[in-house]
Amino acid sequence: MKVEEILRKKGTRIGMVRINETVATALRLMKAENTGALVVKDVCRTEGNTVVGVISERDVVRALVDRGPGILELAVSALMTRDPYCCSPSDPVRHVLSLMDEHGIRHVPVLEGSTLVGVVSVRDLIRRQLEDMRADDIAPVAVAGSDGWDFPVVANQ
């Protein structure tokens, strides 16, 4: 499976913030977008919109612990991860999973050339995996819990 298949299913909405916005603004955008990270863009008249980083909830929490609540008024550029790991729409999903695992990240910008076309998150990959599992027509074995709920159990997971 390719990254482009994930993007086709999820749509093209990309949560973004400008490099000079405050961390507080970035957090408000994350909340509004219901996402754990935003792509950071540098808007220059000569270079156009350029992806320069990613800021995540994890970046903010670590900075809060290390430096205190004053970080909320800093520019996003002070906390963002610069030169993020990226992928292309034609990359296999396995490649993105390897990037996430190897580098401890949960969001990977998708670039076609130098153009941002999407972001793939670990949530997107889990959702796709669950859809594939449903489509496999695996007949789960029902195990009745003590509270009356039935839980599907599939061997070799």
Side-chain angles (χ1 to χ4, degrees):
M1 176 188 329
K2 304 284 185 194
V3 170
E4 61 197 350
E5 294 173 51
I6 301 288
L7 293 179
R8 242 190 327 269
K9 185 84 172 179
K10 94 177 251 186
T12 58
R13 186 146 179 88
I14 304 168
M16 293 181 280
V17 65
R18 290 188 179 147
I19 194 168
N20 292 324
E21 294 290 343
T22 65
V23 172
T25 298
L27 288 173
R28 282 192 289 279
L29 288 169
M30 283 184 220
K31 180 180 178 188
E33 295 289 331
N34 191 31
T35 187
L38 298 170
V39 173
V40 181
K41 296 195 85 173
D42 187 9
V43 181
C44 303
R45 289 183 186 188
T46 57
E47 296 177 26
N49 291 337
T50 305
V51 175
V52 292
V54 171
I55 186 164
S56 69
E57 293 168 332
R58 183 184 293 178
D59 296 328
V60 175
V61 168
R62 288 179 178 176
L64 277 169
V65 169
D66 291 344
R67 297 163 35 186
I71 61 108
L72 295 174
E73 298 309 314
L74 293 176
V76 166
S77 60
L79 301 185
M80 72 182 190
T81 300
R82 294 181 183 276
D83 302 318
Y85 293 97
C86 297
C87 67
S88 76
S90 62
D91 283 340
V93 169
R94 182 178 300 271
H95 170 70
V96 177
L97 285 168
S98 294
L99 283 175
M100 289 176 170
D101 181 48
E102 184 178 343
H103 302 288
I105 56 177
R106 297 181 194 145
H107 299 83
V108 178
V110 183
L111 300 176
E112 197 158 38
S114 61
T115 303
L116 179 67
V117 295
V119 175
V120 177
S121 72
V122 74
R123 182 188 314 169
D124 300 328
L125 300 180
I126 290 169
R127 187 173 292 132
R128 182 58 190 249
Q129 181 70 25
L130 288 171
E131 289 169 2
D132 288 348
M133 290 171 77
R134 284 186 209 112
D136 283 341
D137 289 329
I138 297 174
V141 177
V143 177
S146 60
D147 57 1
W149 288 77
D150 290 336
F151 299 98
V153 177
V154 179
N156 297 325
Q157 282 193 4

